[in-house]
Amino acid sequence: MPPGITLAADTPQLSSANTGFMLICSALVMIMTPGLAFFYGGMVRVKSTLNMLMMSFISLGIVTILWVLYGFSLSFGESNGFIGWSKDYFGLSGIGIVQLWPGYTVPIYVFAVFQLMFAVITPALISGALADRVKFSAWALFITLWVSVVYFPVAHWVWASDGWLFKKGVIDFAGGTAVHINAGAAALGVILVIGKRVGFKKDPMRPHSLPLVMLGAGLLWFGWFGFNAGSWLGNDDGVGAVMFVNTQVATAAAMLAWLGYEKLRHGSFTTLGAASGAVAGLVAITPSGGCVSPLGAIAVGVIAGVLCAMAVGLKYRFGFDDSLDVVGVHMVGGIAGSLLVGLFATGGVQSDAKGLFYGGGLDQLGKQAIGVGAVLGYSLVVSAVLAFLLDKTIGMRVPEDDEVSGIDQVEHAETAYDFSGAGGGTATRTPAPAPSEKAAQNKKVDA
């Protein structure tokens, strides 16, 4: 510090501990996107495995570049409440290397990279609803447009200190509205436009690799600790620790609740149910975990686990083909978690300004409902419009014959598994002896 300059006692100063913690959390959130790729990749049929993996991985490339160019500015720049605009954030070019995020003890660069990982995984979540039938080039363009006109504005509404939903008092600790309702509503909007898979309700479309599903769910659970606990941008006052505990508790409760419902409804405890229940709990605790007790987290997890297990069957009743249950888990789970803030909040936080919020009640429930409705409606309508425009111009779907034969080979010229050498008959073996030789051998044995 230059001589003669003094700082007020409450002026934030750079914290090496919080900075290191946030960089670790950012890496944890990053690993969630490959985890999601495995989770989704195991749930599809063999012929779509690589395409499903790539639909998640491509988000790491596209969204990262857009975030640097203008995404961070639109999401967190100063605004009139609806969209950010700050010339210093365009290209991340006007930011000092140790310049702190206002009101916090971590550099802007650290905050920016942490929020980048949220922006990356959100469109990847949508991809699970579109399995087996979407052109990869159209999907890449959809991501580009969607994050620009849906995710970046919604993130600003919910998390920026001058965002209109934030100022209204809507609580979203780590992404129930901005991430999960946003992605789930977008998935519903797109699938209503592009239609069902060939053979929907007729052909078996079972997961091809449940071990991959469990691996993906485990990586998501692991990374979600960074996703949730890191959203307080440090742990000076213990809020991040509470969020960490509640993340574990709600996820466990939701997994058990889903399995219980599944056993009563269908007679079995399935691995797919365990994985899906865990994800439902992670989704539901995301908006509320900073302002509920561990007992409240159990209640959130149980409610979300049962509601999401019930919701995944709605696609068959209403006839929309949500391939991997994005609507049933992420939209329904996000709605449940966001609204339950108004019922179970005992003390908590807003996610960008360290002002504490105490207690739930009807007033807070009303605010949460406004946030849920605004994000759901905006994302659903705009996503459907984007899908419609792309479908009418470059086309969103692969041809029916390509969908039936397998989208991996058509879109990526590869397959996930090579069975050509398995049992192919290339190994040598000793030919069976001729009858005369066999008789001679037997004669020797008798002798």
Side-chain angles (χ1 to χ4, degrees), residues 76 125 148 183 191 208 211 375:
F76 292 99
L125 292 172
S148 300
I191 59 182
H208 89 280
V375 173

Side-chain angles (χ1 to χ4, degrees), residues 58-76 89-92 112 115-117 119-120 123 139-153:
I58 194 63
S59 186
L60 282 163
I62 293 172
V63 179
T64 297
I65 301 304
L66 296 181
W67 188 254
V68 171
L69 294 178
Y70 58 83
F72 183 58
S73 179
L74 296 184
S75 299
F76 292 99
Y89 295 163
F90 278 99
L92 301 183
Q115 288 294 336
L116 162 63
M117 302 311 173
V120 165
W139 170 245
L141 183 54
F142 177 83
I143 288 179
T144 302
L145 297 174
W146 188 84
V147 294
S148 300
V149 300
V150 178
Y151 181 80
F152 298 155

Side-chain angles (χ1 to χ4, degrees), residues 58-372:
I58 194 63
S59 186
L60 282 163
I62 293 172
V63 179
T64 297
I65 301 304
L66 296 181
W67 188 254
V68 171
L69 294 178
Y70 58 83
F72 183 58
S73 179
L74 296 184
S75 299
F76 292 99
E78 296 180 1
S79 78
N80 59 359
F82 292 94
I83 191 71
W85 188 268
S86 177
K87 64 180 181 180
D88 289 341
Y89 295 163
F90 278 99
L92 301 183
S93 58
I95 302 171
I97 193 169
V98 292
Q99 183 179 349
L100 299 183
W101 184 243
Y104 291 86
T105 60
V106 299
I108 293 177
Y109 278 121
V110 173
F111 177 75
V113 77
F114 180 68
Q115 288 294 336
L116 162 63
M117 302 311 173
F118 283 68
V120 165
I121 197 171
T122 306
L125 292 172
I126 303 170
S127 67
L130 315 178
D132 300 330
R133 58 198 190 275
V134 174
K135 293 179 182 176
F136 187 70
S137 57
W139 170 245
L141 183 54
F142 177 83
I143 288 179
T144 302
L145 297 174
W146 188 84
V147 294
S148 300
V149 300
V150 178
Y151 181 80
F152 298 155
V154 169
H156 187 82
W157 298 356
V158 175
W159 286 325
S161 57
D162 55 358
W164 75 275
L165 288 178
F166 184 90
K167 290 192 293 186
K168 189 172 286 292
V170 175
I171 294 176
D172 185 356
F173 192 96
T177 53
V179 175
H180 298 291
I181 295 175
N182 202 3
L188 181 59
V190 175
I191 59 182
L192 291 177
V193 171
I194 68 170
K196 309 173 184 67
R197 288 169 290 179
V198 175
F200 178 65
K201 289 188 177 181
K202 298 177 182 178
D203 299 337
M205 297 180 179
R206 292 184 292 269
H208 89 280
S209 176
L210 288 170
L212 271 186
V213 174
M214 297 297 282
L215 172 63
L219 287 172
L220 285 170
W221 194 332
F222 175 68
W224 222 292
F225 290 116
F227 192 89
N228 281 355
S231 290
W232 190 235
L233 303 187
N235 197 33
D236 295 331
D237 44 19
V239 175
V242 171
M243 187 56 163
F244 194 107
V245 170
N246 285 341
T247 299
Q248 176 69 16
V249 170
T251 306
M255 179 179 68
L256 296 177
W258 187 302
L259 288 173
Y261 174 86
E262 193 173 55
K263 177 64 174 178
L264 292 174
R265 184 76 173 80
H266 304 292
S268 301
F269 302 112
T270 69
T271 52
L272 182 60
S276 299
V279 173
L282 291 165
V283 170
I285 200 60
T286 292
S288 59
C291 55
V292 299
S293 68
L295 290 177
I298 292 176
V300 169
V302 169
I303 292 170
V306 173
L307 285 179
C308 291
M310 295 171 62
V312 295
L314 294 179
K315 62 184 179 182
Y316 299 109
R317 180 175 298 178
F318 295 111
F320 62 89
D321 186 7
D322 175 16
S323 307
L324 307 183
D325 304 320
V326 179
V327 176
V329 173
H330 292 277
M331 192 178 84
V332 173
I335 291 171
S338 297
L339 295 179
L340 289 173
V341 172
L343 299 180
F344 296 115
T346 57
V349 297
Q350 288 279 35
S351 59
D352 189 54
K354 292 199 173 183
L356 293 179
F357 161 82
Y358 295 98
L362 293 178
D363 180 62
Q364 188 61 38
L365 181 60
K367 294 176 182 178
Q368 297 302 114
I370 291 173
V372 167

